[in-house]
Amino acid sequence: MLKKRKKYLLIIIPFIIVSIIYLNYNNITLYLKSITTGYNIKAIKVFEENNLENKINRYCETLDEAIIQNKYNPKFINIYYYVNYQDIDNFIDLVNKLATIGYNANDINAIFANINPKNIPIIIKNSYDKNLGEYIKLDYFDEEKLNRYINFSNNKEKLSYSIFYVQNKTYNAKDIVTFVNANLDKEYYSNDIILTDEESNKINVLVNKYYQLESTFVPKDLTPIESIYARNDSQLLQKEAATAFNQMCSDAKLENIKLYSGSAYRSYEYQSKIYNEYIKKDGLAQAETYSARPGYSEHQLGLAVDIMNSNWSYVNKDDIEYSWLITNAHKYGFILRYPENKEYITGYMFEPWHYRYLGIELATKVYNSGLTYDEYKARY
Ligand SMILES: [Zn+2]
């Protein structure tokens, strides 16, 4: 009897074991795959159901989490697969939103690497910006201005207030950050920044249609330019700039290039007078292309000089004086401040005669950068 029962068990037990193994075969292989790949069983199932077994070869936490959290969108499988996982709240939701707008995995990785998560909603509430993935990596990118960069990049702000507005111009990532940093997405004279006397006394101070000098500001050590290099004896510059200008004129003279200061320091009151005269003569819109409003002129700094040629007229593009200056002025600390084709940046017409003193080191850097001083300051 006992013997018969043992025999019976010997048959039934292996049968049960085989049945269990058979019935759970799929689960066991899933379990083994999960252990070896790192993916959750749920993810392995999704891969198998969607012919995505190639994803198993490399573990990706973003993809795994998207599936575990039931937030994965089959359209974005490849995005999850290449997005580096971040341990932040609602990470998968943010990835889904960014992917829905149109950002690819590279963009999304750049966004999480460069943008504080609290600012990501700014990106999400705007439409897709094809330049964003690139410009957020620039070291002069300023996260505070994120919304402005997106608007500028998406052509919502187009310098359209400027008479130098260039239609249909495309901007690259560097332009976008530079121009917004330089406030070019805002109207001229909208910045309301008045420089303190301390700031205004620095050789590298930027004065343009966004940065204004106090009406009372007078530079500290105005010095007359040597009379042989000046139209009259009221040509003043800050001492350092005057010395550099004299030296430049003297060296130019050795090469038969005659340079003279036609207009250097101009007080606030004097700028006011000539600006109003220009308006009377040419009308406001025209006058604004070549004359600064009082308080917005570099001439009030005592660091700008309008240079005359040997005929006592302001240097022109075709003059030998222009060719000499354009290659040599930076060696004395001067840069051409309002270059040709940069009118939409400087807000002034091309002025081949107007030079700004910055000191040799800075002038050389600006010169080598090929940028206007407005752009240079927006980057460095
Ligand atoms: Zn000038």
Side-chain angles (χ1 to χ4, degrees):
M1 181 72 185
L2 196 74
K3 211 173 182 184
K4 200 180 174 191
R5 198 174 154 195
K6 209 174 179 182
K7 199 176 173 189
Y8 172 73
L9 281 174
L10 277 173
I11 296 166
I12 202 78
I13 290 171
F15 178 77
I16 291 168
I17 292 171
V18 167
S19 301
I20 289 170
I21 291 174
Y22 178 77
L23 290 171
N24 287 283
Y25 174 74
N26 284 333
N27 284 341
I28 288 167
T29 50
L30 279 175
Y31 180 69
L32 289 174
K33 277 186 188 170
S34 171
I35 288 176
T36 51
T37 63
Y39 280 104
N40 189 278
I41 288 177
K42 205 164 157 185
I44 309 261
K45 276 186 186 165
V46 169
F47 297 154
E48 289 184 349
E49 285 159 17
N50 297 283
N51 292 323
L52 292 165
E53 267 113 336
N54 59 334
K55 298 285 180 265
I56 290 178
N57 300 330
R58 181 176 67 84
Y59 179 72
C60 170
E61 196 171 355
T62 307
L63 179 55
D64 202 25
E65 278 296 321
I67 296 170
I68 295 169
Q69 295 175 28
N70 269 331
K71 287 174 177 172
Y72 89 100
N73 179 334
K75 275 195 302 190
F76 302 148
I77 290 275
N78 268 317
I79 289 182
Y80 306 128
Y81 194 58
Y82 292 109
V83 166
N84 305 319
Y85 185 75
Q86 307 291 324
D87 190 13
I88 57 171
D89 289 349
N90 305 320
F91 175 63
I92 302 296
D93 294 316
L94 293 173
V95 172
N96 280 334
K97 283 176 182 163
L98 292 167
T100 304
I101 296 169
Y103 292 104
N104 64 28
N106 279 339
D107 292 333
I108 295 173
N109 280 328
I111 289 168
F112 285 104
N114 293 284
I115 305 288
N116 186 320
K118 76 172 168 45
N119 287 326
I120 291 177
I122 296 173
I123 299 174
I124 290 168
K125 79 170 166 53
N126 278 289
S127 51
Y128 175 71
D129 173 359
K130 67 178 190 321
N131 298 296
L132 183 134
E134 205 181 328
Y135 65 64
I136 57 179
K137 295 178 195 163
L138 297 170
D139 47 6
Y140 44 93
F141 164 77
D142 173 4
E143 204 170 324
E144 301 263 294
K145 302 188 179 88
L146 180 58
N147 202 43
R148 289 170 62 194
Y149 298 130
I150 298 172
N151 281 336
F152 191 83
S153 176
N154 285 342
N155 291 324
K156 286 186 180 155
E157 310 281 349
K158 281 177 107 176
L159 315 171
S160 51
Y161 52 84
S162 166
I163 59 154
F164 298 111
Y165 168 50
V166 184
Q167 220 165 6
N168 298 326
K169 196 171 169 60
T170 52
Y171 302 108
N172 63 30
K174 286 182 173 181
D175 290 336
I176 291 157
V177 178
T178 306
F179 293 171
V180 170
N181 286 358
N183 298 310
L184 292 176
D185 57 329
K186 295 182 180 178
E187 294 217 18
Y188 295 147
Y189 308 113
S190 61
N191 222 28
D192 289 336
I193 293 177
I194 302 181
L195 300 161
T196 63
D197 275 13
E198 196 197 337
E199 290 166 327
S200 308
N201 267 313
K202 289 185 177 148
I203 294 289
N204 68 351
V205 65
L206 177 68
V207 173
N208 61 17
K209 294 187 179 188
Y210 301 99
Y211 296 98
Q212 183 183 3
L213 295 164
E214 287 279 6
S215 59
T216 51
F217 173 74
V218 178
K220 55 188 183 321
D221 55 5
L222 288 171
T223 305
I225 290 167
E226 265 185 56
S227 59
I228 47 168
Y229 307 125
R231 176 162 74 162
N232 52 39
D233 55 14
S234 59
Q235 304 290 308
L236 312 174
L237 286 176
Q238 288 192 33
K239 193 173 178 194
E240 183 183 332
T243 307
F245 186 77
N246 292 335
Q247 186 64 50
M248 178 166 79
C249 295
S250 152
D251 289 356
K253 206 173 170 187
L254 297 174
E255 297 175 41
N256 266 320
I257 303 292
K258 289 173 185 150
L259 305 172
Y260 307 94
S261 165
S263 181
Y265 168 69
R266 302 202 284 252
S267 69
Y268 182 92
E269 291 71 25
Y270 185 66
Q271 185 68 28
S272 212
K273 181 173 163 277
I274 59 171
Y275 174 75
N276 287 316
E277 281 170 8
Y278 289 138
I279 292 174
K280 262 185 211 155
K281 186 168 144 272
D282 289 331
L284 176 69
Q286 194 58 33
E288 295 255 80
T289 66
Y290 63 85
S291 177
R293 289 187 189 180
Y296 294 88
S297 173
E298 288 193 321
H299 286 281
Q300 194 186 333
L301 289 173
L303 295 171
V305 52
D306 295 336
I307 303 175
M308 290 183 138
N309 62 21
S310 58
N311 298 321
W312 298 96
S313 55
Y314 285 109
V315 170
N316 221 301
K317 194 185 165 185
D318 303 319
D319 297 346
I320 47 163
E321 290 84 354
Y322 178 76
S323 314
W324 191 92
L325 283 165
I326 203 77
T327 32
N328 294 294
H330 66 280
K331 299 172 193 165
Y332 301 88
F334 291 91
I335 57 151
L336 178 71
R337 185 64 181 81
Y338 306 120
E340 199 169 20
N341 300 324
K342 300 282 184 124
E343 296 85 349
Y344 69 101
I345 300 170
T346 63
Y348 289 104
M349 61 182 243
F350 174 37
E351 293 193 2
W353 55 84
H354 180 110
Y355 277 78
R356 161 69 195 269
Y357 183 76
L358 290 172
I360 294 169
E361 196 187 331
L362 181 55
T364 304
K365 283 182 184 167
V366 176
Y367 178 82
N368 289 333
S369 75
L371 301 170
T372 63
Y373 193 46
D374 313 86
E375 293 168 282
Y376 186 89
K377 283 286 264 190
R379 291 194 190 182
Y380 307 106

